Amino acid sequence: MGDGSVVPRLGSMKALLGIVAGAGASYGLYKLISGQVFKKTKKNPHNESPSVKSSQQGGIKLRPGSLLAKVSGLDVVCARPDDATSGEIVHQSPNKLELHHLKILLSRLQTIDDVSNRAQFLLTLGNAAAFTINQNQIRELEGIPVIAGFLSDPAPEVRVQALNALNNLCMNIENQEQIKLYVPQVLELIEMSAVNSDLQLGALRLLTNLSVTDKHQHLLKGSVTLLLSLLVVSSEALQVQTLKVLVNLSSNPDMMDDIVQAQAPASVLLLFDERTSPAVLLRLLTFVGNLKAWRPSAQVADELRRKQDCLFRVMLDESSQLHSKLVRLLSHPAGEIQAQVARVLT
């Protein structure tokens, strides 16, 4: 068992503890899907975005029908005509992107000053990274540190696209060995960003992918308090992603000591309510089921009871109100929820 201390890093989240509760939450067990393809956004070819106009004024040749436009779904900046090393990016399917195309993208990304263009190039790399061959090539080109460098970009939209690109790259086990180095920075983004922001959502998606297997879950053991605090103050979309991470962690018995010792707002119990959407309850019950599968010794249970506001006291101790809330959910109109509650109570 751990040293029994929990040092929460709540930052701006600390002021949110114990505030709103009762917002819906949900969780779906995450499946690592290789070859995910992002939806392409179509733009009116007769309308030019500000970034396109500024790029043209800067002397960069634009190719609306180029590979980059096909991959990202946006007008993008192509190589300068006088750049002899860049070559021409030809029309082809993103899953057949060649090595020199990725070299161009990564090289140009590091020299772009315009915010919209930086976000655009990261979007293109992220979409390309939906394919295994590109995931490997980006790693071999040392592109992961390049992309991760934009996690500290001043522009929020650039940070969001960097997270999205890393999220796709994270679907590759070998890439995870590099991406895990940026977990502290990703957690800081969650902690310091506005609640329900795209930054928080993108960061949680990345942590979901990284925590699918138990190999890197230990990197998140100090973040459970932050996740539980976020769970009670965020919108349903963010609660879903938060619970995905929590369920991944709670499925690992080696993580349970850290989870049950984490500080938890008592208001999290208000989520176990008939007014919460069925999708939310099913996923929340999965998390609780994982917790209840853990059986501490009498000595460990006594130690945990002495920890103020820890998750064990809030959800698992005999004094917890969770049991009575679960019993009331046995009469939920959705049969699937009734069945899940019955399994948890067994």
Side-chain angles (χ1 to χ4, degrees):
M1 180 167 176
D3 59 8
S5 66
V6 177
V7 184
R9 296 180 63 253
L10 290 177
S12 61
M13 291 297 306
K14 192 175 290 183
L16 298 174
L17 272 172
I19 312 180
V20 187
S26 72
Y27 173 71
L29 288 176
Y30 179 82
K31 294 184 178 178
L32 191 60
I33 301 176
S34 176
Q36 176 185 356
V37 182
F38 280 42
K39 293 182 179 179
K40 301 177 183 177
T41 304
K42 296 184 179 178
K43 295 184 65 179
N44 189 332
H46 301 293
N47 295 334
E48 285 185 332
S49 67
S51 64
V52 172
K53 292 179 180 179
S54 63
S55 298
Q56 289 174 329
Q57 293 167 358
I60 300 175
K61 183 178 180 181
L62 297 176
R63 301 286 296 274
S66 68
L67 171 65
L68 298 186
K70 286 179 175 293
V71 175
S72 69
L74 298 171
D75 297 326
V76 291
V77 182
C78 293
R80 295 180 184 274
D82 58 353
D83 185 355
T85 63
S86 64
E88 180 182 5
I89 299 183
V90 298
H91 298 270
Q92 57 180 299
S93 176
N95 66 330
K96 295 183 179 178
L97 206 66
E98 295 182 8
L99 191 62
H100 69 278
H101 299 141
L102 295 173
K103 285 181 180 179
I104 292 171
L105 289 171
L106 290 169
S107 175
R108 291 297 319 286
L109 180 62
Q110 298 175 76
T111 62
I112 294 174
D113 294 326
D114 183 76
V115 171
S116 61
N117 286 338
R118 289 202 301 277
Q120 199 168 295
F121 267 62
L122 286 166
L123 173 63
T124 301
L125 282 166
N127 286 352
F131 301 95
T132 302
I133 185 173
N134 296 333
Q135 293 165 3
N136 291 329
Q137 290 180 335
I138 290 173
R139 180 185 68 253
E140 292 163 2
L141 290 170
E142 299 183 352
I144 291 176
V146 172
I147 293 170
F150 290 93
L151 292 176
S152 58
D153 193 277
E157 60 267 39
V158 173
R159 298 199 297 273
V160 168
Q161 293 303 334
L163 286 167
N164 291 342
L166 290 174
N167 182 42
N168 270 5
L169 289 166
C170 200
M171 292 189 291
N172 183 299
I173 298 300
E174 292 182 71
N175 288 350
Q176 290 185 4
E177 292 300 318
Q178 294 185 32
I179 295 173
K180 70 179 183 181
L181 301 177
Y182 305 100
V183 166
Q185 196 171 356
V186 173
L187 288 171
E188 185 177 5
L189 282 174
I190 295 174
E191 182 180 339
M192 302 305 295
S193 301
V195 178
N196 298 323
S197 64
D198 288 340
L199 275 169
Q200 283 191 332
L201 188 60
L204 287 166
R205 284 172 175 161
L206 176 56
L207 294 182
T208 300
N209 271 355
L210 196 61
S211 62
V212 167
T213 67
D214 59 11
K215 188 171 185 180
H216 306 302
Q217 290 175 349
H218 65 281
L219 299 172
L220 301 177
K221 65 182 182 181
S223 68
V224 177
T225 293
L226 173 64
L227 295 172
L228 290 170
S229 301
L230 188 61
L231 185 61
V232 301
V233 298
S234 58
S235 66
E236 181 176 325
L238 211 68
Q239 288 171 326
V240 168
Q241 281 310 135
T242 301
L243 281 165
K244 286 181 178 180
V245 180
L246 286 172
V247 170
N248 283 348
L249 299 181
S250 64
S251 65
N252 183 355
D254 292 337
M255 289 290 298
M256 199 58 66
D257 285 351
D258 296 286
I259 293 174
V260 297
Q261 291 185 76
Q263 283 187 304
S267 54
V268 71
L269 295 180
L270 296 176
L271 297 174
F272 295 88
D273 188 272
E274 186 176 302
R275 290 168 294 184
T276 303
S277 72
V280 167
L281 281 175
L282 285 172
R283 290 157 176 82
L284 193 58
L285 288 167
T286 301
F287 175 57
V288 175
N290 287 346
L291 294 179
K292 286 188 169 292
W294 179 71
R295 296 287 188 268
S297 66
Q299 180 181 356
V300 169
D302 287 339
E303 291 177 2
L304 289 170
R305 289 188 184 99
R306 292 193 288 270
K307 294 182 179 294
Q308 187 70 23
D309 298 327
C310 72
L311 183 62
F312 177 84
R313 291 186 62 175
V314 172
M315 284 193 175
L316 301 179
D317 194 23
E318 294 177 355
S319 61
S320 171
Q321 298 178 18
L322 178 60
H323 181 81
S324 61
K325 288 184 172 293
L326 290 175
V327 170
R328 285 196 289 271
L329 285 174
L330 284 171
S331 60
H332 194 283
E336 191 176 5
I337 287 182
Q338 293 179 24
Q340 183 67 19
V341 171
R343 282 193 291 268
V344 172
L345 288 173
T346 302

